[in-house]
């Protein structure tokens, strides 16, 4: 048996490098964060070979004094925290004091710096952990760190690196995250002698447009919410323009890019009612709160955090995004089909709107929605006349005098006026922009769903089971069922333990009577355990109401009169999230006159 012996400092640093500097992008992130902590207003990055051959970061920050250069590359030496109180309220991006030491242990590192007010700059070099004496250097201000031949002395580790193109892509993404988190800092990036990014200092909107494109901001809802010392700002792309994959999902907590389970779930929940299952939400959001309310000392890479009150943060973020997405159609930017898709106008561009409203009759009163006990699938009449401009119907249905007034174009009615119905499925309407196409079932489904959510009670009726469904449960599942009996009852579940490791389901939500009772029970217990009874209650209730709305909405091949079609348009304009149905599909499209002209090659 081998004797226990202490590890050398070099070996300790090389082990740490495996966690802190897993690839060139991780080293770049650490160096950029050091520059930001130093108060830099300009950061220049120069890479070669995907960051493996050369990685240089130069800033104009506060700099490092001659006497501190040796400590800067020493393990667990930092200027950012001094005691446990500092550790509990970390206000800087870096704080562990191991990044430079870890990088220096597996590369040839050169650190040149000139402290503010110092007459000269000084330089220190480290090769594979061996530190050279401090020497004079030529540098106007700030700090320049040059990392060459990353992992030159750990060939086994270097074998795990990918191709140059792959490593460059990761470095580019690391640069992008830091640049987005601090738009007030000017930044440049070049790779193999070619300029990749030149970003001037400015606001968040300008930085997002530079890095994510103009369309990101054009198609996004502005988020700006504050409550109880927590603020969320940024942009959340509207569901109709969401991406196929999670291509642009950026969340920053106190200026730090994070991947947090609580925040990710809150954002998924905010989009759940409006996003198609094949698409992913897209956003760039900045969350700001007291550093004492969030723990960033979770992982060496510092991309994971823990909130002191995760439930409150979850609720705040979710509702802030929901409110941002629930805007009226009139507040949406006018985007043509050709502009959105970058293709021919024969392809259509979605457009949508939102705000709460009631589907009223001519007297202004809303018809009573069905209650849970009496609900049955079926089509109800749409006795919903709307006031129509007399001149419009005179032109549409007969009188075409030369002096007849033109079809009204009312900016207060962004979906315009109905012209006709196509194949019993689509409504054709004219607005100021041109032609509007509406999927009447999808639109009415959203209207009915939103109405059910606001008018029905919180308790879901229970469908008793003739024979209780039993399943083997984990002790935590049994405890969750016992501790959340009221929440389960409100969701329409009747269940309880019949043994130390067995649960019996005696009833399930009536509208989901055909579901597997055991699987349904397990799913809701998991949600309650992860996110609390309130979150699970809201999620399951909305699922049930969505099912009811789908069956209660106007069906395809249903003939509608023009007043009914106009009433549906007016209701869409006053209903939250009416741009998408309950399953995330768009409910209407806009074809501008320009799109139609291009389609028929007018003016060419």
């Amino acid at each position: 048996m081998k004797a226990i012996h202490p590890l050398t400092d070099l070996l300790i640093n090389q082990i740490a490098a495996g966690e802190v500097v897993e690839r060139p992008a991780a080293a770049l992130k650490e160096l950029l964060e050091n520059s930001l902590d130093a108060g830099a207003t300009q950061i220049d990055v120069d890479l070669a070979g995907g960051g493996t051959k050369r990685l240089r970061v130069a800033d104009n920050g506060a700099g490092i004094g001659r006497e501190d250069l040796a400590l800067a590359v020493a393990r667990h030496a930092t200027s950012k925290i001094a005691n446990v109180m500092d550790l509990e309220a970390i206000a800087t991006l870096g704080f562990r004091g191991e990044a430079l030491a870890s990088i220096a242990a597996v590369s040839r590192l050169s650190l040149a710096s000139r402290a503010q007010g110092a007459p000269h700059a000084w330089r220190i070099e480290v090769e594979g952990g061996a530190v050279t004496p401090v020497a004079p250097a030529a540098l106007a201000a700030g700090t320049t760190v040059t990392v060459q031949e990353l992992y030159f002395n750990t060939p086994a580790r270097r074998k795990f690196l990918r191709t140059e193109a792959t490593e460059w892509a990761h470095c580019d993404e690391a640069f992008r995250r830091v640049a987005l988190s601090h738009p007030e800092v000017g930044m440049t990036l070049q790779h193999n002698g070619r300029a990749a990014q030149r970003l001037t200092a400015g606001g968040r909107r300008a930085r997002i447009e530079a890095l994510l494109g103009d369309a990101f901001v054009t198609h996004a809802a502005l988020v700006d919410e504050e409550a109880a010392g927590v603020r969320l700002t940024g942009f959340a792309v509207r569901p109709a323009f969401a991406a196929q994959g999670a291509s642009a999902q950026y969340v920053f907590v106190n200026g730090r890019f994070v991947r947090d389970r609580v925040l990710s779930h809150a954002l998924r929940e905010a989009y759940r009612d409006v996003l198609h299952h094949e698409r992913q939400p897209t956003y760039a959001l900045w969350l700001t709160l007291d550093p004492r309310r969030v723990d960033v000392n979770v992982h060496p890479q510092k991309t994971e955090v823990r909130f002191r009150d995760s439930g409150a943060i979850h609720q705040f973020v979710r509702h802030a995004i929901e409110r941002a997405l629930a805007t009226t159609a009139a507040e949406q930017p006018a985007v043509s089909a050709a502009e959105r898709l970058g293709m021919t106008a024969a392809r259509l561009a979605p457009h949508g709107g939102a705000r709460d409203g009631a589907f009223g009759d001519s007297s202004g009163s809303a018809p009573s929605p069905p209650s849970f006990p009496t609900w049955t699938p079926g089509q109800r009449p749409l006795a919903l006349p709307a006031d129509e401009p007399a001149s419009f119907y005179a032109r549409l249905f007969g009188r075409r005098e030369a002096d007849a007034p033109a079809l009204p174009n009312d900016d207060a009615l962004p979906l315009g006026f109905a012209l006709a119905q196509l194949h019993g499925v689509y409504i054709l309407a004219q607005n100021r922009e041109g032609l509007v196409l509406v999927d009447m079932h999808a639109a009415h489904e959203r209207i009915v769903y939103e109405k059910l959510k606001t008018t029905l009670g919180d308790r879901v009726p229970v469908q008793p089971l003739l024979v209780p469904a039993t399943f083997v449960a984990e002790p935590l599942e049994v405890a969750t069922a016992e501790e959340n009996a009221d929440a389960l009852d409100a969701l329409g579940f009747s269940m309880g333990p019949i043994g130390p490791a067995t649960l019996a389901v005696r009833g399930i939500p009536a509208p989901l009577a055909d579901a597997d009772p055991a699987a349904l029970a397990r799913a809701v217990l998991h949600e309650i355990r992860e996110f609390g009874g309130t979150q699970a209650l809201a999620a399951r209730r909305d699922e049930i109401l969505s099912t009811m709305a789908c069956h209660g909405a106007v069906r395809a091949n249903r003939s509608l009169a023009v007043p009914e079609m106009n009433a549906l348009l007016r209701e869409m304009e006053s209903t939250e999230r009416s741009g998408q149905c309950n399953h995330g599909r768009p409910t209407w499209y806009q074809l501008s006159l320009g799109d139609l002209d291009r389609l028929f090659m007018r003016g060419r």
Side-chain angles (χ1 to χ4, degrees):
M1 180 178 179
K2 294 184 178 180
I4 298 175
H5 61 278
L7 299 176
T8 64
D9 289 340
L10 175 60
L11 188 55
I12 291 172
N13 287 337
Q14 288 178 335
I15 293 173
E19 293 181 331
V20 179
V21 194
E22 61 175 344
R23 65 190 333 147
L28 175 60
K29 167 184 172 291
E30 297 291 344
L31 297 178
L32 290 173
E33 288 182 348
N34 283 344
S35 295
L36 292 171
D37 286 339
T41 59
Q42 179 65 41
I43 304 175
D44 301 310
V45 180
D46 180 20
L47 305 177
T52 56
K53 293 182 179 179
R54 183 181 68 251
L55 195 164
R56 179 181 294 123
V57 176
D59 66 60
N60 64 349
I64 305 171
R66 175 185 180 183
E67 63 280 2
D68 291 335
L69 280 178
L71 284 174
V73 294
R75 184 171 167 81
H76 299 316
T78 182
S79 62
K80 299 168 186 177
I81 60 172
N83 51 52
V84 69
M85 298 299 293
D86 294 338
L87 190 61
E88 292 177 355
I90 296 171
T92 55
L93 297 174
F95 59 90
R96 301 174 69 96
E98 60 182 354
L100 279 178
S102 299
I103 296 170
V106 291
S107 69
R108 296 183 174 94
L109 182 142
S110 172
L111 171 61
S113 187
R114 182 174 181 175
Q116 288 181 350
H120 305 291
W122 299 91
R123 178 191 195 93
I124 193 171
E125 295 183 352
V126 188
E127 181 171 338
V131 184
T132 64
V134 177
L139 190 65
T143 301
T144 298
V145 180
T146 304
V147 178
Q148 299 190 79
E149 301 300 331
L150 193 61
Y151 295 120
F152 81 97
N153 57 347
T154 53
R157 183 73 187 180
R158 186 155 187 157
K159 289 180 181 179
F160 283 94
L161 296 179
R162 304 301 181 185
T163 64
E164 177 180 322
T166 299
E167 296 302 335
W168 155 243
H170 284 284
C171 287
D172 180 59
E173 179 62 21
F175 177 90
R176 185 183 302 260
R177 292 171 181 174
V178 173
L180 283 171
S181 66
H182 291 79
E184 74 282 1
V185 178
M187 301 181 69
T188 66
L189 173 66
Q190 70 174 21
H191 181 234
N192 291 339
R194 290 187 174 184
Q197 297 286 353
R198 291 190 181 277
L199 306 173
T200 58
R204 289 174 178 169
R205 182 187 182 98
R207 184 59 56 91
I208 288 176
E209 289 176 344
L211 290 173
L212 304 181
D214 296 347
F216 187 100
V217 176
T218 301
H219 300 154
L222 178 65
V223 182
D224 191 354
E225 297 279 344
E226 186 171 6
V230 182
R231 187 178 184 189
L232 183 69
T233 57
F235 298 89
V237 173
R238 300 187 185 280
F241 303 95
Q244 291 286 355
S247 58
Q249 296 181 342
Y250 298 97
V251 179
F252 307 97
V253 176
N254 290 344
R256 183 193 310 275
F257 173 82
V258 300
R259 293 191 181 279
D260 178 70
R261 181 174 61 87
V262 171
L263 295 177
S264 296
H265 185 268
L267 290 162
R268 286 198 306 271
E269 286 293 292
Y271 275 89
R272 177 174 51 85
D273 260 0
V274 294
L275 193 66
H276 193 268
H277 59 84
E278 292 182 354
R279 295 184 176 271
Q280 294 290 328
T282 307
Y283 43 77
L285 301 166
W286 288 260
L287 184 69
T288 307
L289 71 165
D290 190 328
R292 291 171 294 184
R293 299 176 64 178
V294 57
D295 182 8
V296 299
N297 187 25
V298 178
H299 189 275
Q301 294 182 7
K302 305 187 291 292
T303 55
E304 300 177 18
V305 296
R306 290 198 185 103
F307 295 101
R308 306 296 184 194
D309 189 352
S310 59
I313 296 296
H314 183 286
Q315 286 283 85
F316 170 74
V317 171
R318 177 189 173 186
H319 292 312
I321 300 301
E322 285 179 339
R323 283 191 290 270
L325 296 177
T327 53
T328 63
E331 296 168 348
Q332 302 250 358
V335 181
S336 69
E339 179 184 356
R340 176 182 182 262
L341 297 178
M343 300 178 184
T344 171
R347 297 289 300 273
L348 304 180
H351 215 64
R355 195 166 280 160
D356 225 355
F359 207 45
D361 57 21
S362 58
S363 64
S365 60
S368 300
S371 61
F372 274 118
T374 60
W375 173 79
T376 54
Q379 178 62 57
R380 292 172 174 78
L382 287 176
L384 303 168
D387 293 334
E388 315 295 349
S391 60
F392 167 54
Y393 284 106
R395 289 175 59 84
L396 186 62
F397 296 122
R399 297 198 306 273
R400 298 189 179 274
E401 296 87 350
D403 58 350
L407 177 65
N409 290 312
D410 192 344
D411 286 335
L413 304 176
L415 293 182
F417 295 95
L419 297 171
Q421 190 177 20
L422 181 65
H423 288 292
V425 176
Y426 301 103
I427 294 172
L428 308 183
Q430 174 178 322
N431 65 357
R432 182 177 293 277
E433 297 295 324
L435 179 67
V436 176
L437 306 178
V438 178
D439 183 332
M440 64 184 195
H441 171 74
H444 196 215
E445 181 181 3
R446 168 60 69 179
I447 292 167
V448 174
Y449 176 47
E450 293 297 331
K451 188 191 302 183
L452 290 176
K453 287 200 297 185
T454 56
T455 57
L456 292 182
D458 290 334
R459 307 193 76 81
V460 180
V462 179
Q463 171 63 56
L465 300 179
L466 186 62
V467 179
T470 62
F471 62 93
V472 177
E474 299 177 358
L476 194 55
E477 290 177 323
V478 175
T480 301
E482 291 178 327
E483 294 171 2
N484 295 274
D486 291 341
L488 289 168
D489 183 52
L491 285 167
F493 287 90
S494 174
M495 73 172 75
I498 58 174
T502 306
L503 282 174
V505 183
R506 301 180 178 87
I508 60 175
L512 301 179
D514 295 332
D516 180 352
L520 203 59
R522 281 188 182 278
V524 75
L525 288 174
H526 174 76
E527 289 187 11
I528 291 176
R529 189 169 70 244
E530 289 292 320
F531 307 107
T534 302
Q535 294 294 327
L537 176 60
R540 289 299 171 184
R541 174 177 176 270
D542 289 350
E543 179 183 332
I544 294 166
L545 296 183
S546 179
T547 301
M548 295 172 62
C550 184
H551 288 281
V554 61
R555 295 296 180 187
N557 301 316
R558 164 75 180 275
S559 178
L560 298 181
V562 172
E564 289 181 310
M565 289 188 272
N566 276 312
L568 184 61
L569 297 178
R570 301 292 80 78
E571 196 66 16
M572 291 173 63
E573 291 165 348
S574 61
T575 300
E576 286 190 344
R577 295 171 283 273
S578 65
Q580 293 79 33
C581 75
N582 308 346
H583 313 292
R585 294 188 296 270
T587 59
W588 66 283
Y589 287 87
Q590 173 79 63
L591 272 176
S592 69
L593 289 175
D595 293 332
L596 295 172
D597 288 344
R598 284 188 290 272
L599 189 64
F600 290 98
M601 303 178 69
R602 287 175 60 88
R604 297 188 183 180

